[in-house]
Amino acid sequence: MYAAGNFHTIKQGGHRYARDDAFSFSARPPYKITRWKPAVHGQLGAVALSPGCATAYLGGSDGLEAVSTSTGRPVSGFHASVPGTVDALLYWRGHLLAGGQFVGALRSLNPTTGSDDGFTYGSDITGSEPPGHLPTKIWRWELSPGGQRLLIEGDFTSAYGHRRQQIMMLNLTPPHGTTAQLTPWYNYAFNGQCVRSESFWLRDAAWSPDGTRIYIATTGNHPFSGETWPHTGLCDAA
């Protein structure tokens, strides 16, 4: 198991381990902390592993790094072109998808070199609600059980030239296509604004095991139009 975040010490069984923002431990009892101690930069928020788990991709406030899962050292030749914070990572069929707070909010990278591989070519995710209240960004995402669709949540109002507020879905295996494509799926109820302090009120989502349903959790207290009872809309709901 690999974990990332904002910390400097891990405590287990009365023992303390110095770990800066990343550590790993056995997934089986007694869940022993490993010696893995990568020298990362900045607070981390996302982890992805290569097939076979030889490489760990770590995303955070200082961009994206690739390190060895055995030594913790940087992987030679990997230089990611992500100029900003990375909050979501996914290794998918030879592509390393990175989402976060940077121009376009979504990039697909070559997992060996870190260069843009064009799989999400033309990704233009922009806007925030209310305008200027929060920076445009991708917060998190979930891969469908079949591995073909990617559900994405964040602070945005448009994607690929179409209205998409807070949530969108990409088809990673479009017919006769070599790049990911925005799907028609959307619910305009997510255009509504909750209380001003919660411009990003869609917080998490999950797929059903068969991929036919999506479960969404929100916050936001009540619609921005004012306090009503009973509350209507999708603010503060599941």
Side-chain angles (χ1 to χ4, degrees):
M1 300 291 292
Y2 293 83
N6 182 22
F7 49 82
H8 299 291
T9 303
I10 301 298
K11 183 179 179 181
Q12 184 190 54
H15 298 281
R16 291 182 179 272
Y17 304 85
R19 297 291 186 272
D20 290 329
D21 301 328
F23 74 101
S24 67
F25 61 95
S26 171
R28 297 179 179 180
Y31 311 109
K32 184 178 179 179
I33 303 294
T34 72
R35 294 178 179 270
W36 190 66
K37 188 180 178 181
V40 297
H41 303 90
Q43 178 179 336
L44 298 179
V47 181
L49 297 171
S50 64
C53 298
T55 300
Y57 301 96
L58 305 174
S61 59
D62 285 355
L64 176 60
E65 301 178 59
V67 300
S68 166
T69 55
S70 58
T71 67
R73 296 174 182 172
V75 174
S76 177
F78 183 88
H79 303 285
S81 55
V82 182
T85 300
V86 175
D87 292 309
L89 284 173
L90 175 67
Y91 189 104
W92 186 86
R93 300 186 186 182
H95 305 283
L96 180 63
L97 304 183
Q101 185 180 327
F102 47 83
V103 176
L106 171 64
R107 292 195 181 185
S108 178
L109 308 174
N110 181 304
T112 301
T113 65
S115 61
D116 196 318
D117 65 11
F119 182 62
T120 56
Y121 174 76
S123 61
D124 185 16
I125 302 168
T126 60
S128 61
E129 189 70 30
H133 187 70
L134 287 175
T136 299
K137 64 180 178 180
I138 286 176
W139 185 265
R140 58 169 55 90
W141 53 37
E142 300 81 25
L143 186 65
S144 67
Q148 296 181 328
R149 293 170 292 169
L150 187 64
L151 189 66
I152 301 175
E153 300 93 60
D155 188 53
F156 49 81
T157 57
S158 67
Y160 295 87
H162 297 273
R163 179 71 172 183
R164 295 289 187 274
Q165 186 162 315
Q166 304 191 91
I167 191 166
M168 64 178 177
M169 187 188 296
L170 293 184
N171 184 356
L172 301 180
T173 58
H176 312 295
T178 57
T179 61
Q181 295 181 4
L182 184 70
T183 73
W185 179 89
Y186 188 55
N187 188 329
Y188 283 89
F190 296 118
N191 289 358
Q193 182 181 325
C194 298
V195 292
R196 185 171 292 276
S197 61
E198 295 284 358
S199 60
F200 169 67
W201 47 268
L202 194 158
R203 293 304 175 94
D204 208 353
W207 293 86
S208 64
D210 62 1
T212 62
R213 292 181 177 86
I214 295 169
Y215 304 96
I216 294 173
T218 72
T219 185
N221 193 13
H222 61 78
F224 178 68
S225 57
E227 184 77 29
T228 60
W229 191 262
H231 292 331
T232 58
L234 298 179
C235 299
D236 219 11

